[in-house]
Amino acid sequence: MSTPPLAASGMAPGPFAGPQAQQAAREVNTASLCRIGQETVQDIVYRTMEIFQLLRNMQLPNGVTYHTGTYQDRLTKLQDHLRQLSILFRKLRLVYDKCNENCGGMDPIPVEQLIPYVEEEGSKNDDRASLPRFASEERREIAEVNKKLKQKNQQLKQIMDQLRNLIWDINAMLAMRN
């Protein structure tokens, strides 16, 4: 059996052919956009570190014997890094705008509802008083589980001690028999 020939566009034929492939390429989900944004930020940090490295090693020509060729090379490298950095910032802005566009229909959830916290007794916000006290309930449940765990550990320790004594007695009897 022979493999089918590739399409004229250079892509293998598949479920995404023609305009569907272009539409699928344009529709990028928010998670992959965030990943692209994270990689862009990492690139920006890396380029910035390179720029500072170049600036630290670069000496300004102030009449001291310094090779102008080396200075020009470092200057062009610096300008190139700055140009790439501005491109990365534009890319990051595009990713940010696209993420905001994709998340535009979502209702923002207040941070207080996402993070469990313990309220103080003299809290001045009446809105927060109606929210459940997740942290205190969780702490109480953890304390109960820890108490039960300690009891089970104590029981296991007693069983292990009884087994150790039993084995000691059996070994003592076997030793007396011989």
Side-chain angles (χ1 to χ4, degrees), residues 132-144:
R133 296 182 181 188
F134 295 116
S136 61
E137 291 173 7
E138 225 174 89
R139 187 179 296 135
R140 192 176 321 115
E141 289 175 12
I142 290 172
E144 291 174 14

Side-chain angles (χ1 to χ4, degrees), residues 158-171:
Q158 290 173 354
I159 291 171
M160 287 172 24
D161 288 340
Q162 290 173 355
L163 281 174
R164 189 179 306 114
N165 288 336
L166 181 64
I167 291 173
W168 184 271
D169 291 341
I170 291 172
N171 286 337

Side-chain angles (χ1 to χ4, degrees), residues 55-67:
L55 288 174
R56 185 173 53 165
N57 292 334
M58 183 181 263
Q59 296 176 359
L60 297 175
N62 54 3
V64 180
T65 56
Y66 188 73
H67 298 290

Side-chain angles (χ1 to χ4, degrees), residues 112 117-120 123-133:
E112 289 85 13
Y117 62 94
V118 178
E119 288 183 1
E120 295 180 10
S123 177
K124 295 178 182 176
N125 250 344
D126 292 334
D127 296 337
R128 291 185 183 171
S130 64
L131 292 176
R133 296 182 181 188

Side-chain angles (χ1 to χ4, degrees), residues 5-130:
L6 294 178
S9 65
M11 295 177 57
F16 298 112
Q20 290 178 345
Q22 293 173 354
Q23 183 180 7
R26 272 188 252 134
E27 293 178 12
V28 181
N29 65 6
T30 307
S32 60
L33 279 175
C34 289
R35 182 184 50 78
I36 292 169
Q38 179 183 6
E39 291 170 357
T40 305
V41 168
Q42 289 172 349
D43 288 344
I44 287 172
V45 169
Y46 177 73
R47 295 283 182 200
T48 306
M49 287 173 47
E50 286 182 349
I51 287 172
F52 282 124
Q53 183 71 26
L54 280 171
L55 288 174
R56 185 173 53 165
N57 292 334
M58 183 181 263
Q59 296 176 359
L60 297 175
N62 54 3
V64 180
T65 56
Y66 188 73
H67 298 290
T68 57
T70 308
Y71 172 76
Q72 289 299 326
D73 288 343
R74 289 183 180 170
L75 184 62
T76 55
K77 277 186 184 179
L78 181 64
Q79 289 171 345
D80 184 46
H81 281 303
L82 289 172
R83 189 171 31 258
Q84 290 173 353
L85 194 62
S86 66
I87 291 169
L88 287 172
F89 272 112
R90 281 189 230 126
K91 179 181 175 184
L92 185 62
R93 184 61 181 185
L94 290 173
V95 168
Y96 174 78
D97 290 340
K98 186 66 176 173
C99 282
N100 278 343
E101 178 183 315
N102 289 348
C103 297
M106 295 181 172
D107 294 331
I109 299 173
V111 176
E112 289 85 13
Q113 291 179 352
L114 296 175
I115 302 172
Y117 62 94
V118 178
E119 288 183 1
E120 295 180 10
E121 301 303 324
S123 177
K124 295 178 182 176
N125 250 344
D126 292 334
D127 296 337
R128 291 185 183 171
S130 64

